[in-house]
Amino acid sequence: VQLQAFGGGAVQAGGSLRLSCQASGRIRVSNGMGWYRRAPGKERELVAAITSRGSIDYSDSVKGRFTMSRDNAKNTVALQMNGLKPEDTAVYYCNSLPADVIRWDDDNYWGRGTQVTVSS
């Protein structure tokens, strides 16, 4: 398994969680990574991204609440999530940036995600 996300859980609205992702094998976080999520009944979406140069951007839905970081030496990325909302409920994954669109629907490509559940 080249990608493993950790740190999910169940929290109440307004709470916080910190996700982490360990990359291995051919995947180097220094090349650019994204945090993606898939909510029940919805398409997978990109919510945070860091480029090879270190530029970070967020989807409008999480901007101002989520913070992405990277540790190239440890080959890990993290996602600090504050002010969680019920609509943030999803399975969260990390993967390369950009993701391979040909494999977008291949569960094996996404590795081990972590469930985040936010109750109102």
Side-chain angles (χ1 to χ4, degrees):
V1 179
Q2 297 189 68
L3 295 163
Q4 297 189 68
F6 304 92
V11 298
Q12 291 189 331
S16 298
L17 285 171
R18 182 175 178 83
L19 307 184
S20 61
C21 174
Q22 178 69 61
S24 61
R26 296 182 178 182
I27 299 177
R28 304 301 306 175
V29 300
S30 57
N31 292 332
M33 291 292 290
W35 278 100
Y36 305 78
R37 70 184 181 188
R38 185 169 188 177
K42 295 188 177 181
E43 291 291 322
R44 203 182 317 262
E45 61 173 339
L46 175 66
V47 296
I50 183 167
T51 69
S52 58
R53 294 186 176 184
S55 297
I56 302 175
D57 201 5
Y58 305 92
S59 67
D60 288 343
S61 61
V62 308
K63 194 170 294 184
R65 300 186 296 121
F66 290 11
T67 303
M68 184 175 185
S69 59
R70 176 174 67 188
D71 187 328
N72 290 336
K74 295 181 179 179
N75 208 25
T76 60
V77 291
L79 186 68
Q80 177 66 42
M81 306 187 297
N82 299 327
L84 283 162
K85 303 176 180 180
E87 50 264 44
D88 294 320
T89 295
V91 179
Y92 286 71
Y93 305 84
C94 65
N95 213 320
S96 301
L97 181 76
D100 185 345
V101 296
I102 295 176
R103 303 187 65 186
W104 190 260
D105 293 325
D106 180 355
D107 288 338
N108 292 325
Y109 171 69
W110 291 97
R112 194 168 300 168
T114 187
Q115 176 72 48
V116 172
T117 303
V118 185
S119 58
S120 57

